[in-house]
Amino acid sequence: MKLIKSFQYFLVFSLPLYLNFAHTFTLQAQAQLYQPNKTWQISQTFKPPKRGAPPVSSGGSTRSGSCLTDKKVITPLIPPNKLGLTLGQHPTFFWHVPESSVKTAKFLLFTDDDQTLFYETSLTLPDKSGIVSFTLPETAPALTVGKTYHWYLTIVCNTEDSSDNPIVDGWVERIKPELPLSQALAKANLRTLPTIYAEAGIWHEALTSLVQLRRTEPNNLKVRIDWRQFFKSVNLSAIASSPLI
């Protein structure tokens, strides 16, 4: 009888403590297993923003020229819809250029449906094929927020007759970042910047920061994987292995 009372006493006082301990342990285990979704996921896939297509222009067709042999072409590094967003006043543009005997290219930037020449300059092409870049200089006029610009890059094969010169084109639009994006960028470092820009659909800064990271850490395997994933997401896998020049 005494043994039964002792057991009852144990149940009355110990069982609640055990159940409380078990409940606490379960909550701790769930907390360790549960990882809440974050605003910026670690992914190097470029996610284009939900926007309309760039304006149609009569001069917007890509043209190959006779001075590029073996059907070689210039490949602009832009999203499939040819419109790249930027947050900057003076963004950086990228192209893959083939090896060619011609060493001069011309970059032109237009506004107002190609009616107004906004900026023009000549570029020197490298001796070998690879990815080249051009940053709009600080001396150039700053891009206006909310305005779309039409750019052209042409290889100057013939200075007298430009009708046969290879040419590619695209659009760039400067936008103002929303508050969540601004807050994320304020806390970012070089390793997280490409992901933040890619998630937000900001093309020019996404690629520029990824290029900077690749130059800074050329032997980092994760950087190489992220680079290939980024290019794959915009159908540019064919030039992902090309050198940065």
Side-chain angles (χ1 to χ4, degrees):
M1 188 71 178
K2 188 176 181 180
L3 182 61
I4 294 176
K5 286 184 178 181
S6 297
F7 181 70
Q8 290 175 340
Y9 176 85
F10 172 79
L11 289 177
V12 170
F13 289 97
S14 300
L15 188 57
L17 293 175
Y18 171 77
L19 293 176
N20 182 63
F21 172 78
H23 178 68
T24 303
F25 179 80
T26 301
L27 290 178
Q28 290 176 343
Q30 290 176 345
Q32 292 175 352
L33 292 174
Y34 175 66
Q35 296 293 333
N37 291 327
K38 297 180 180 180
T39 304
W40 308 106
Q41 298 293 329
I42 302 302
S43 168
Q44 221 55 61
T45 299
F46 180 75
K47 297 183 179 179
K50 296 180 180 179
R51 302 172 66 89
V56 177
S57 173
S58 58
S61 59
T62 300
R63 184 175 68 231
S64 60
S66 59
C67 66
L68 297 182
T69 59
D70 301 326
K71 297 182 179 180
K72 295 176 181 177
V73 295
I74 316 167
T75 304
L77 273 59
I78 51 178
N81 69 350
K82 301 182 75 172
L83 172 63
L85 298 185
T86 182
L87 303 180
Q89 299 179 4
H90 301 91
T92 300
F93 301 82
F94 295 87
W95 304 271
H96 178 272
V97 295
E99 185 176 355
S100 170
S101 59
V102 181
K103 300 305 175 188
T104 303
K106 198 170 261 190
F107 175 80
L108 303 99
L109 196 61
F110 287 89
T111 61
D112 306 320
D113 295 330
D114 287 7
Q115 298 303 308
T116 304
L117 179 61
F118 182 80
Y119 182 78
E120 177 183 5
T121 191
S122 294
L123 307 177
T124 301
L125 298 175
D127 294 328
K128 58 182 180 179
S129 65
I131 296 172
V132 299
S133 65
F134 168 71
T135 301
L136 203 62
E138 295 294 330
T139 54
L143 301 189
T144 302
V145 172
K147 197 164 189 177
T148 302
Y149 300 80
H150 194 183
W151 61 259
Y152 295 86
L153 181 75
T154 178
I155 295 182
V156 185
C157 300
N158 189 331
T159 57
E160 302 296 330
D161 181 9
S162 63
S163 62
D164 197 35
N165 290 342
I167 187 171
V168 291
D169 71 326
W171 284 262
V172 58
E173 179 184 346
R174 183 185 172 199
I175 66 169
K176 183 178 180 180
E178 296 182 353
L179 182 58
L181 176 58
S182 296
Q183 292 174 338
L185 291 174
K187 301 175 183 178
N189 54 45
L190 183 57
R191 288 189 175 184
T192 58
L193 274 176
T195 293
I196 294 174
Y197 284 124
E199 288 281 339
I202 311 300
W203 174 261
H204 285 270
E205 280 74 12
L207 182 54
T208 300
S209 59
L210 197 56
V211 168
Q212 292 173 343
L213 184 58
R214 186 180 170 189
R215 290 189 185 279
T216 304
E217 303 184 34
N219 298 320
N220 188 319
L221 180 59
K222 185 181 184 307
V223 172
R224 293 181 180 182
I225 294 174
D226 288 345
W227 174 269
R228 290 184 177 278
Q229 179 62 31
F230 182 86
F231 274 63
K232 182 180 178 181
S233 69
V234 289
N235 302 321
L236 290 173
S237 295
I239 60 174
S241 300
S242 300
L244 294 170
I245 301 177

mmCIF file of all heavy atoms in Angstrom, residues 27 51 57 72 79 88 114 117 129 163 166 169 173-174 177 181 188 195 197 215 228 244:
data_model
loop_
_atom_site.group_PDB
_atom_site.id
_atom_site.type_symbol
_atom_site.label_atom_id
_atom_site.label_comp_id
_atom_site.label_asym_id
_atom_site.label_seq_id
_atom_site.Cartn_x
_atom_site.Cartn_y
_atom_site.Cartn_z
ATOM 1 N N LEU A 27 10.262 21.765 -28.923
ATOM 2 C CA LEU A 27 10.275 23.103 -29.510
ATOM 3 C C LEU A 27 11.686 23.503 -29.948
ATOM 4 O O LEU A 27 11.869 24.091 -31.007
ATOM 5 C CB LEU A 27 9.747 24.125 -28.498
ATOM 6 C CG LEU A 27 8.255 24.044 -28.175
ATOM 7 C CD1 LEU A 27 7.883 25.093 -27.131
ATOM 8 C CD2 LEU A 27 7.418 24.243 -29.432
ATOM 9 N N ARG A 51 8.454 43.242 -66.382
ATOM 10 C CA ARG A 51 8.319 44.507 -67.104
ATOM 11 C C ARG A 51 8.011 44.206 -68.565
ATOM 12 O O ARG A 51 8.236 43.107 -69.056
ATOM 13 C CB ARG A 51 9.609 45.330 -67.022
ATOM 14 C CG ARG A 51 10.039 45.635 -65.594
ATOM 15 C CD ARG A 51 11.409 46.265 -65.572
ATOM 16 N NE ARG A 51 11.396 47.576 -66.185
ATOM 17 C CZ ARG A 51 11.142 48.697 -65.516
ATOM 18 N NH1 ARG A 51 10.866 48.643 -64.239
ATOM 19 N NH2 ARG A 51 11.152 49.861 -66.134
ATOM 20 N N SER A 57 12.531 49.813 -82.189
ATOM 21 C CA SER A 57 13.244 50.823 -82.968
ATOM 22 C C SER A 57 13.611 50.238 -84.321
ATOM 23 O O SER A 57 13.989 49.079 -84.431
ATOM 24 C CB SER A 57 14.504 51.289 -82.241
ATOM 25 O OG SER A 57 15.265 52.141 -83.061
ATOM 26 N N LYS A 72 31.692 34.389 -87.136
ATOM 27 C CA LYS A 72 31.858 34.884 -85.772
ATOM 28 C C LYS A 72 30.958 36.091 -85.546
ATOM 29 O O LYS A 72 30.719 36.878 -86.462
ATOM 30 C CB LYS A 72 33.318 35.266 -85.520
ATOM 31 C CG LYS A 72 34.279 34.086 -85.574
ATOM 32 C CD LYS A 72 35.707 34.532 -85.408
ATOM 33 C CE LYS A 72 36.672 33.364 -85.490
ATOM 34 N NZ LYS A 72 38.091 33.802 -85.397
ATOM 35 N N PRO A 79 20.048 40.431 -70.777
ATOM 36 C CA PRO A 79 18.957 39.462 -70.610
ATOM 37 C C PRO A 79 18.310 39.136 -71.953
ATOM 38 O O PRO A 79 18.492 39.867 -72.939
ATOM 39 C CB PRO A 79 17.970 40.194 -69.679
ATOM 40 C CG PRO A 79 18.781 41.252 -69.008
ATOM 41 C CD PRO A 79 19.820 41.663 -70.016
ATOM 42 N N GLY A 88 22.645 52.683 -61.370
ATOM 43 C CA GLY A 88 23.718 53.661 -61.452
ATOM 44 C C GLY A 88 23.517 54.730 -62.509
ATOM 45 O O GLY A 88 22.806 54.548 -63.496
ATOM 46 N N ASP A 114 15.700 56.825 -80.576
ATOM 47 C CA ASP A 114 16.859 56.965 -81.465
ATOM 48 C C ASP A 114 16.930 58.310 -82.171
ATOM 49 O O ASP A 114 17.689 58.467 -83.141
ATOM 50 C CB ASP A 114 16.886 55.839 -82.507
ATOM 51 C CG ASP A 114 17.276 54.500 -81.903
ATOM 52 O OD1 ASP A 114 17.396 54.420 -80.668
ATOM 53 O OD2 ASP A 114 17.471 53.530 -82.658
ATOM 54 N N LEU A 117 21.172 61.609 -79.963
ATOM 55 C CA LEU A 117 22.410 60.943 -79.588
ATOM 56 C C LEU A 117 22.814 61.427 -78.199
ATOM 57 O O LEU A 117 23.134 62.601 -78.010
ATOM 58 C CB LEU A 117 23.511 61.227 -80.601
ATOM 59 C CG LEU A 117 24.877 60.592 -80.313
ATOM 60 C CD1 LEU A 117 24.764 59.064 -80.290
ATOM 61 C CD2 LEU A 117 25.914 61.041 -81.340
ATOM 62 N N SER A 129 39.855 36.798 -78.503
ATOM 63 C CA SER A 129 38.431 36.792 -78.169
ATOM 64 C C SER A 129 38.237 36.723 -76.655
ATOM 65 O O SER A 129 39.077 36.189 -75.928
ATOM 66 C CB SER A 129 37.744 35.601 -78.838
ATOM 67 O OG SER A 129 38.244 34.377 -78.315
ATOM 68 N N SER A 163 27.436 50.356 -93.661
ATOM 69 C CA SER A 163 26.322 49.433 -93.880
ATOM 70 C C SER A 163 26.727 47.976 -93.711
ATOM 71 O O SER A 163 25.881 47.101 -93.484
ATOM 72 C CB SER A 163 25.718 49.645 -95.274
ATOM 73 O OG SER A 163 26.689 49.369 -96.283
ATOM 74 N N PRO A 166 29.542 45.002 -88.559
ATOM 75 C CA PRO A 166 28.770 44.198 -87.598
ATOM 76 C C PRO A 166 28.242 45.093 -86.476
ATOM 77 O O PRO A 166 28.947 45.994 -86.010
ATOM 78 C CB PRO A 166 29.792 43.196 -87.056
ATOM 79 C CG PRO A 166 30.916 43.215 -88.035
ATOM 80 C CD PRO A 166 30.942 44.585 -88.620
ATOM 81 N N ASP A 169 22.811 45.523 -80.454
ATOM 82 C CA ASP A 169 22.172 46.597 -79.707
ATOM 83 C C ASP A 169 21.430 46.061 -78.482
ATOM 84 O O ASP A 169 21.278 44.855 -78.301
ATOM 85 C CB ASP A 169 21.198 47.368 -80.604
ATOM 86 C CG ASP A 169 19.952 46.559 -80.937
ATOM 87 O OD1 ASP A 169 20.067 45.319 -81.073
ATOM 88 O OD2 ASP A 169 18.860 47.147 -81.037
ATOM 89 N N GLU A 173 17.881 50.874 -68.738
ATOM 90 C CA GLU A 173 16.985 51.794 -68.032
ATOM 91 C C GLU A 173 17.448 51.922 -66.581
ATOM 92 O O GLU A 173 17.695 50.928 -65.903
ATOM 93 C CB GLU A 173 15.539 51.289 -68.058
ATOM 94 C CG GLU A 173 14.574 52.210 -67.311
ATOM 95 C CD GLU A 173 13.162 51.641 -67.257
ATOM 96 O OE1 GLU A 173 12.863 50.700 -68.005
ATOM 97 O OE2 GLU A 173 12.349 52.152 -66.444
ATOM 98 N N ARG A 174 17.578 53.150 -66.144
ATOM 99 C CA ARG A 174 17.944 53.384 -64.744
ATOM 100 C C ARG A 174 16.670 53.479 -63.900
ATOM 101 O O ARG A 174 15.723 54.186 -64.267
ATOM 102 C CB ARG A 174 18.746 54.687 -64.623
ATOM 103 C CG ARG A 174 19.221 54.950 -63.190
ATOM 104 C CD ARG A 174 19.901 56.301 -63.068
ATOM 105 N NE ARG A 174 20.161 56.609 -61.676
ATOM 106 C CZ ARG A 174 20.407 57.831 -61.223
ATOM 107 N NH1 ARG A 174 20.437 58.867 -62.060
ATOM 108 N NH2 ARG A 174 20.630 58.039 -59.934
ATOM 109 N N PRO A 177 15.886 52.191 -56.551
ATOM 110 C CA PRO A 177 15.646 50.976 -55.760
ATOM 111 C C PRO A 177 14.562 51.174 -54.715
ATOM 112 O O PRO A 177 14.453 52.252 -54.112
ATOM 113 C CB PRO A 177 17.013 50.724 -55.104
ATOM 114 C CG PRO A 177 17.634 52.083 -55.012
ATOM 115 C CD PRO A 177 17.179 52.814 -56.246
ATOM 116 N N LEU A 181 15.304 46.638 -51.087
ATOM 117 C CA LEU A 181 16.539 46.441 -51.844
ATOM 118 C C LEU A 181 17.642 47.348 -51.303
ATOM 119 O O LEU A 181 18.787 46.919 -51.128
ATOM 120 C CB LEU A 181 16.306 46.712 -53.330
ATOM 121 C CG LEU A 181 17.540 46.626 -54.236
ATOM 122 C CD1 LEU A 181 18.193 45.264 -54.131
ATOM 123 C CD2 LEU A 181 17.160 46.931 -55.682
ATOM 124 N N ALA A 188 25.260 44.473 -47.471
ATOM 125 C CA ALA A 188 25.910 43.457 -48.310
ATOM 126 C C ALA A 188 27.418 43.649 -48.379
ATOM 127 O O ALA A 188 27.954 44.714 -48.076
ATOM 128 C CB ALA A 188 25.321 43.493 -49.712
ATOM 129 N N THR A 195 24.198 38.113 -55.733
ATOM 130 C CA THR A 195 22.938 37.428 -55.463
ATOM 131 C C THR A 195 21.803 38.419 -55.255
ATOM 132 O O THR A 195 20.703 38.250 -55.789
ATOM 133 C CB THR A 195 23.076 36.533 -54.213
ATOM 134 O OG1 THR A 195 23.987 35.483 -54.506
ATOM 135 C CG2 THR A 195 21.736 35.926 -53.827
ATOM 136 N N TYR A 197 21.525 41.563 -56.315
ATOM 137 C CA TYR A 197 21.171 42.211 -57.581
ATOM 138 C C TYR A 197 20.450 41.250 -58.518
ATOM 139 O O TYR A 197 19.475 41.626 -59.195
ATOM 140 C CB TYR A 197 22.429 42.746 -58.271
ATOM 141 C CG TYR A 197 22.991 44.010 -57.672
ATOM 142 C CD1 TYR A 197 24.314 44.075 -57.239
ATOM 143 C CD2 TYR A 197 22.206 45.155 -57.537
ATOM 144 C CE1 TYR A 197 24.850 45.239 -56.703
ATOM 145 C CE2 TYR A 197 22.726 46.326 -56.994
ATOM 146 C CZ TYR A 197 24.050 46.356 -56.577
ATOM 147 O OH TYR A 197 24.568 47.508 -56.046
ATOM 148 N N ARG A 215 37.200 38.338 -60.464
ATOM 149 C CA ARG A 215 38.563 38.858 -60.540
ATOM 150 C C ARG A 215 39.249 38.808 -59.173
ATOM 151 O O ARG A 215 40.449 38.560 -59.084
ATOM 152 C CB ARG A 215 38.539 40.303 -61.045
ATOM 153 C CG ARG A 215 38.156 40.454 -62.509
ATOM 154 C CD ARG A 215 38.360 41.877 -62.971
ATOM 155 N NE ARG A 215 37.894 42.109 -64.323
ATOM 156 C CZ ARG A 215 38.576 41.809 -65.422
ATOM 157 N NH1 ARG A 215 39.760 41.235 -65.317
ATOM 158 N NH2 ARG A 215 38.087 42.067 -66.625
ATOM 159 N N ARG A 228 28.778 30.379 -63.752
ATOM 160 C CA ARG A 228 28.157 29.535 -64.775
ATOM 161 C C ARG A 228 26.643 29.489 -64.623
ATOM 162 O O ARG A 228 25.904 29.495 -65.622
ATOM 163 C CB ARG A 228 28.740 28.117 -64.715
ATOM 164 C CG ARG A 228 30.187 28.038 -65.181
ATOM 165 C CD ARG A 228 30.704 26.607 -65.210
ATOM 166 N NE ARG A 228 32.066 26.550 -65.734
ATOM 167 C CZ ARG A 228 32.361 26.557 -67.026
ATOM 168 N NH1 ARG A 228 31.399 26.601 -67.927
ATOM 169 N NH2 ARG A 228 33.620 26.507 -67.429
ATOM 170 N N LEU A 244 37.960 36.993 -69.161
ATOM 171 C CA LEU A 244 37.647 38.395 -68.953
ATOM 172 C C LEU A 244 38.847 39.214 -69.439
ATOM 173 O O LEU A 244 39.965 38.988 -69.013
ATOM 174 C CB LEU A 244 37.400 38.682 -67.478
ATOM 175 C CG LEU A 244 36.162 38.019 -66.854
ATOM 176 C CD1 LEU A 244 36.179 38.183 -65.349
ATOM 177 C CD2 LEU A 244 34.892 38.591 -67.444
#
